[in-house]
Amino acid sequence: MVASVEPFHAIAISRLAHEMAASGLAVIHMEFGQPSTGAPGPAIAAAHRILDADPMGYWENTALMERIARYYRDAHGVTVARDQIILTCGASPALVLALTSLFAPGARVALARPGYVAYRNTLRALYLEPVEMDCGAEQRFQITAAALDAIDPPPDGLILASPANPTGTIIAPEELAAIAAVCRRKGIRVVSDEIYHRLVYDGEAQSMLRHLPDALVVNSFSKFYSMAGWRLGWVVLPPELIATARARMGNLFLTPPSLAQHAGLVAFDCVEELEGHLRTYARNRALLLDALPRLGLARIAPPDGAFYIWADIGHLTNDSLDFCTRLLRDTGVATAPGIDFDPVNGHRFMRFSFAVSTAEVETAIERMIPWFAGQNQA
């Protein structure tokens, strides 16, 4: 068996962007879903104190696990025991733990297309078969219960993301319940990526645990908590999978960084500072939604949450990688090509991340308006 894993093309864009910045050019990084802000101030202060007082080592912060369990009770009305939570080195290992705890090689796992590039490639690296569901504008670029029900034979598993990457769309609560019903009836196990929860502008992002208690939930401190570089996340597991997942965590990853765990516990309750970031994202989103039609980008996904806008550029190009590369070279604005997220139709889409400062969004728009005008006239 040979795992076929495709490259993440946005990394090449980012590499070029950093080379340009190193040469003295002013680059605006809208290519990655990475907050430009750092960890909350009190979390950083706590980390400084720990560095001076604690030699650290392999460790699981049970207080952090209890705090996460309380979050599910308070925010989603579901009961999660502390031991159902495994702390991980970010969401990526959490996804690996979830998939390897549920499925044997050869299992078929459904996922939306467009979708986060690592879902497809992680499945392939683990010798699992991605069953990609083409989700277009008519479905708000999201999986529907009817489309899932129509897969024959039914898949063994399903990866959900709501809000989603690259589109920012949210699955409505009634549709989420309908998807859960299909999964119960057909024995489809669910991995729900909820990394963009708490980053919501329109609608409600419900945890799949409200509808399917045996779902596995992946989350992280990278997005809402603005701690991408700290490499801290978690997975919520049903009781029958705890021992299986813990065996994998211990052998593959040991524990997440101790310093990140200390800081994460403090960050969880830095609500005022973190919601300030959310208000910034909301302003950035509004600026882009106003500006994109003036760039000739009228067909976009409704960005209900996260910090992305998925835009159709099919009237301008049939090669999104080349298009984003030229945009970067000519304007210094780095964006992500759609082929990362949709290998079939992504050649005519691009993704903007607005997890940067409002001033950077304003500057990016100023640079892009004349550039896109030239593309529209070509």
Side-chain angles (χ1 to χ4, degrees):
M1 298 176 69
V2 177
S4 175
V5 177
E6 298 296 324
F8 194 170
H9 294 92
I11 293 176
I13 293 284
S14 187
R15 187 179 301 117
L16 174 59
H18 283 285
E19 290 173 359
M20 292 172 60
S23 70
L25 298 173
V27 172
I28 299 173
H29 290 279
M30 303 176 75
E31 74 273 32
F32 284 152
Q34 174 175 285
S36 59
T37 50
I44 293 174
H48 280 294
R49 291 193 298 272
I50 293 298
L51 281 172
D52 291 334
D54 188 340
M56 294 180 284
Y58 303 132
W59 177 60
E60 287 182 291
N61 189 338
T62 55
L64 178 57
M65 295 157 67
E66 290 169 353
R67 181 64 189 88
I68 293 171
R70 180 156 60 89
Y71 160 74
Y72 285 99
R73 291 193 294 272
D74 296 345
H76 297 289
V78 297
T79 299
V80 173
R82 182 190 73 186
D83 291 344
Q84 288 179 251
I85 295 162
I86 295 181
L87 301 174
T88 63
C89 311
S92 298
L95 179 64
V96 171
L97 282 183
L99 294 173
T100 58
S101 298
L102 277 174
F103 306 116
R108 300 166 60 249
V109 181
L111 64 160
R113 192 184 71 240
Y116 179 43
V117 58
Y119 299 153
R120 180 188 336 115
N121 284 322
T122 300
L123 288 169
R124 288 174 174 166
L126 297 174
Y127 304 108
L128 303 171
E129 180 183 348
V131 180
E132 293 191 307
M133 303 170 64
D134 187 11
C135 303
E138 299 78 12
Q139 297 83 33
R140 302 180 78 253
F141 300 97
Q142 277 285 8
I143 289 171
T144 65
L148 179 63
D149 202 14
I151 298 177
D152 186 25
D156 301 290
L158 170 68
I159 297 177
L160 282 178
S162 174
N165 178 8
T167 63
T169 56
I170 289 175
I171 300 173
E174 59 273 14
E175 189 66 35
L176 199 63
I179 291 170
V182 172
C183 292
R184 275 193 301 270
R185 176 161 48 86
K186 295 198 168 184
I188 302 169
R189 297 303 300 268
V190 173
V191 176
S192 180
D193 184 350
E194 300 180 0
I195 194 171
Y196 297 104
H197 276 214
R198 304 184 76 175
L199 293 171
V200 175
Y201 315 102
D202 288 327
E204 177 187 4
Q206 289 190 348
S207 175
M208 193 54 161
L209 293 172
R210 291 183 62 171
H211 305 283
L212 209 60
D214 69 347
L216 280 69
V217 170
V218 168
N219 210 321
S220 168
F221 282 81
S222 294
K223 309 301 182 181
F224 176 74
Y225 301 96
S226 199
M227 295 178 65
W230 295 74
R231 309 315 304 138
L232 181 62
W234 71 87
V235 59
V236 182
L237 304 128
E240 68 272 14
L241 289 178
I242 293 172
T244 298
R246 283 205 166 276
R248 283 156 172 76
M249 180 66 193
N251 282 282
L252 294 174
F253 308 110
L254 292 174
T255 65
S258 295
L259 188 64
Q261 294 182 65
H262 283 292
L265 179 59
V266 176
F268 221 98
D269 293 305
C270 294
V271 176
E272 183 175 353
E273 183 174 345
L274 295 170
E275 290 190 347
H277 298 335
L278 181 59
R279 290 190 292 272
T280 296
Y281 303 150
R283 288 194 296 272
N284 296 350
R285 171 181 177 267
L287 286 168
L288 282 169
L289 289 178
D290 175 69
L292 290 181
R294 290 187 276 129
L295 272 58
L297 305 183
R299 299 188 300 275
I300 63 172
D304 306 316
F307 30 55
Y308 306 117
I309 293 181
W310 180 246
D312 188 336
I313 52 174
H315 60 297
L316 299 175
T317 186
N318 199 41
D319 186 344
S320 59
L321 179 58
D322 173 74
F323 189 87
C324 291
T325 302
R326 289 190 292 110
L327 173 64
L328 171 59
R329 289 190 183 278
D330 293 346
T331 71
V333 178
T335 56
I339 54 171
D340 274 332
F341 311 98
D342 185 342
V344 177
N345 300 310
H347 58 277
R348 61 183 184 87
F349 285 88
M350 66 186 298
R351 189 197 72 178
F352 297 88
S353 169
F354 51 85
V356 293
S357 70
T358 299
E360 287 176 304
V361 170
E362 291 171 338
T363 301
I365 291 170
E366 291 174 1
R367 295 181 187 180
M368 290 191 295
I369 286 175
W371 190 87
F372 270 87
Q375 307 304 308
N376 283 309
Q377 294 168 6

